[in-house]
Amino acid sequence: MPLHVRILIGMVLGVIAGAIAVSLDASWLIVDWVKPFGTIFINLLKVIAVPLIIASLVKGVSDMRDLSRLSSLGGRTVALYLFTTVVSVSLGLLVVNLVNPGLAIDEATRTKLLESSADDAAGKIAIAEQTKEQGPLQPIIDLVPDNIFAAATNNTAMLQVIVFVLLFGVALVMTPEEKSGPVKAFFDGLNEVVMRLIDLIMLAAPIGVFALLAALVAETPSWDVFKALLYYSLCVMFGLMILVFGFYPTLARVFAGVKYGHFFRSLAPAQLLAFSTSSSAATLPVTMECAQEHLGVDEEVASFVLPIGATVNMDGTSLYQAVAAVFIAQAFGIDLTLGDQLSIVLTATLASIGTAAVPSAGIVMLVIVLGTLDVPEQGIALIFAVDRVLDMSRTVANVTSDATVATLVAKSVGLLHERPEERVLESPSDASEE
């Protein structure tokens, strides 16, 4: 049975199991005895994220043997990531201004939502305040680790790891081959071992997503609250659907010749896993296998573009921040000018670069976006009830964008290989053995 089908079955069964537990007032059973297996699965994916980035980036850079090629790849990658992010933010603003979901929130509902999520909002605001108190060049300072081993043990410091590994790879290229050969051979071997480890972990994917979805349903707050936020949720979902089902496959079709159906068949395992885990970093290993084995992206491009994308390219998060910022402003009766909304485009684009590839990190950056508009930061409490579900959906957009950009970059440098259109996707390991 294809991997993405098994994952989908696990998701459906998880939702059913969670719903049954809620109906029997036995949510504790899911939380205590099922959810831990989902947590273990996410931890397994996260634990190989840093080894994967280190091995794949060092291999990718050292394989080039031409620093001008690295510069070319880097320039195209950054330009495309910025382009897709600006499009995402602009689309979010267009949708939210057409629907005006914040006007549907009355005073009583707003008060109820603010009270129910006040503690969660305070914690996120405190984290955002620490970020805002830093100097204007702090993001650049944060790119350079003072201890690479400390950075490598922190999944929120992926950018620091990437910067160090890129420098290491460049130094490896500059070193005479008789000296660098054993080092390169080590990282080539390490990359292969990590890929096989991914195959082993993905055997547990259906069980992992079953546990994650069952826990999500069991821990869901009142459905009445969801109804109050229906318009806002639909705005975000509609924008994300345009990105995932319209914008990205169109780019891939027009500029890389990838057929619409093949695009989604190739990325289905990564997209479903992204929805289940809400983490671009946790999904990175599967995204890399899907891009290489099924979309035909050369390993040299995938190992460079995708780890960077999992850290700095957050299209779904950027769209969500645009919709949420305007929604909260509308709920408080604050009119945003055209200048205010243009500042959202700039702030959300820059904030997405610094957003950690972990669940709910986007809501911390939303606080910073609200601060630039003089909108009460406490307003994030209005959207906490549905943030988890939307977080899952926007991670799908993030991962799809990463794979799309990798495909376009590969095509632009002549490293997009011919794809077997009729191949049945069994699993990443099956495809890699062909």
Side-chain angles (χ1 to χ4, degrees):
M1 184 182 296
L3 176 64
H4 65 278
V5 174
R6 283 182 277 142
I7 292 177
L8 189 59
I9 292 174
M11 293 171 65
V12 172
L13 292 178
V15 171
I16 294 174
I20 293 175
V22 171
S23 65
L24 298 177
D25 197 24
S27 297
W28 61 270
L29 191 63
I30 297 293
V31 174
D32 291 344
W33 296 97
V34 177
K35 183 179 179 181
F37 292 99
T39 304
I40 291 171
F41 178 63
I42 291 182
N43 288 344
L44 283 172
L45 289 171
K46 286 182 177 179
V47 78
I48 61 171
V50 171
L52 175 64
I53 288 175
I54 293 174
S56 62
L57 268 180
V58 170
K59 185 182 186 316
V61 174
S62 61
D63 280 348
M64 292 179 194
R65 286 293 169 192
D66 183 359
L67 295 183
S68 63
R69 191 178 186 87
L70 174 62
S71 176
S72 175
L73 277 180
R76 294 164 197 254
T77 299
V78 172
L80 283 171
Y81 279 150
L82 287 176
F83 168 69
T84 59
T85 300
V86 171
V87 169
S88 302
V89 178
S90 302
L91 176 62
L93 289 176
L94 176 63
V95 172
V96 74
N97 280 286
L98 288 175
V99 179
N100 293 317
L103 303 181
I105 301 293
D106 56 31
E107 179 67 30
T109 302
R110 182 168 69 239
T111 301
K112 179 181 178 181
L113 290 172
L114 289 172
E115 290 176 351
S116 63
S117 300
D119 291 340
D120 290 334
K124 302 296 184 183
I125 291 171
I127 296 173
E129 286 297 327
Q130 294 177 2
T131 303
K132 289 193 290 185
E133 289 174 1
Q134 298 171 342
L137 296 182
Q138 188 62 41
I140 298 178
I141 296 174
D142 290 339
L143 289 176
V144 183
D146 60 357
N147 186 326
I148 185 57
F149 297 102
T153 60
N154 184 356
N155 276 354
T156 63
M158 291 291 191
L159 269 177
Q160 293 186 346
V161 175
I162 289 173
V163 168
F164 174 82
V165 172
L166 286 176
L167 290 174
F168 185 91
V170 170
L172 193 60
V173 172
M174 297 171 64
T175 304
E177 190 168 349
E178 61 270 16
K179 299 292 185 182
S180 63
V183 179
K184 185 181 184 309
F186 168 78
F187 282 103
D188 289 350
L190 178 62
N191 186 63
E192 288 299 319
V193 172
V194 171
M195 289 300 178
R196 298 291 78 74
L197 183 58
I198 293 169
D199 293 342
L200 291 176
I201 293 173
M202 288 308 296
L203 294 176
I207 298 174
V209 299
F210 167 84
L212 292 169
L213 268 294
L216 175 68
V217 174
E219 295 176 332
T220 294
S222 169
W223 290 103
D224 293 335
V225 175
F226 278 103
K227 292 177 184 177
L229 296 173
L230 180 61
Y231 288 137
Y232 159 71
S233 301
L234 289 178
C235 280
V236 176
M237 293 298 294
F238 180 65
L240 294 175
M241 288 177 66
I242 292 176
L243 288 178
V244 173
F245 295 104
F247 181 58
Y248 299 135
T250 299
L251 286 179
R253 176 61 175 167
V254 172
F255 296 103
V258 180
K259 293 182 179 179
Y260 191 88
H262 180 68
F263 180 81
F264 286 102
R265 287 195 300 272
S266 299
L267 288 180
Q271 290 174 324
L272 292 174
L273 196 62
F275 184 80
S276 303
T277 63
S278 300
S279 172
S280 300
T283 311
L284 176 60
V286 183
T287 308
M288 291 185 67
E289 289 229 27
C290 289
Q292 292 177 49
E293 304 297 343
H294 307 310
L295 284 176
V297 178
D298 190 87
E299 184 179 4
E300 178 182 316
V301 176
S303 62
F304 178 82
V305 176
L306 292 176
I308 295 176
T311 307
V312 304
N313 183 48
M314 299 288 167
D315 287 0
T317 302
S318 300
L319 182 144
Y320 140 82
Q321 288 173 348
V323 174
V326 176
F327 168 76
I328 293 171
Q330 291 175 347
F332 280 99
I334 299 173
D335 292 325
L336 298 180
T337 65
L338 178 60
D340 291 333
Q341 301 211 25
L342 289 177
S343 72
I344 292 177
V345 175
L346 177 61
T347 308
T349 300
L350 295 177
S352 70
I353 297 174
T355 301
V358 293
S360 298
I363 205 156
V364 174
M365 306 313 295
L366 175 60
V367 176
I368 297 175
V369 174
L370 293 177
T372 64
L373 304 173
D374 291 328
V375 175
E377 288 93 341
Q378 292 77 11
I380 62 171
L382 297 175
I383 61 175
F384 261 110
V386 292
D387 184 67
R388 177 59 175 164
V389 175
L390 297 181
D391 195 10
M392 299 164 71
S393 302
R394 59 185 184 251
T395 305
V396 176
N398 295 342
V399 168
T400 307
S401 176
D402 293 345
T404 301
V405 170
T407 304
L408 298 182
V409 171
K411 180 66 174 179
S412 70
V413 296
L415 291 175
L416 184 65
H417 305 304
E418 185 176 348
R419 300 164 300 278
E421 298 288 340
E422 301 303 323
R423 174 186 291 175
V424 178
L425 303 186
E426 296 294 340
S427 70
S429 58
D430 295 334
S432 64
E433 291 170 0
E434 292 180 4

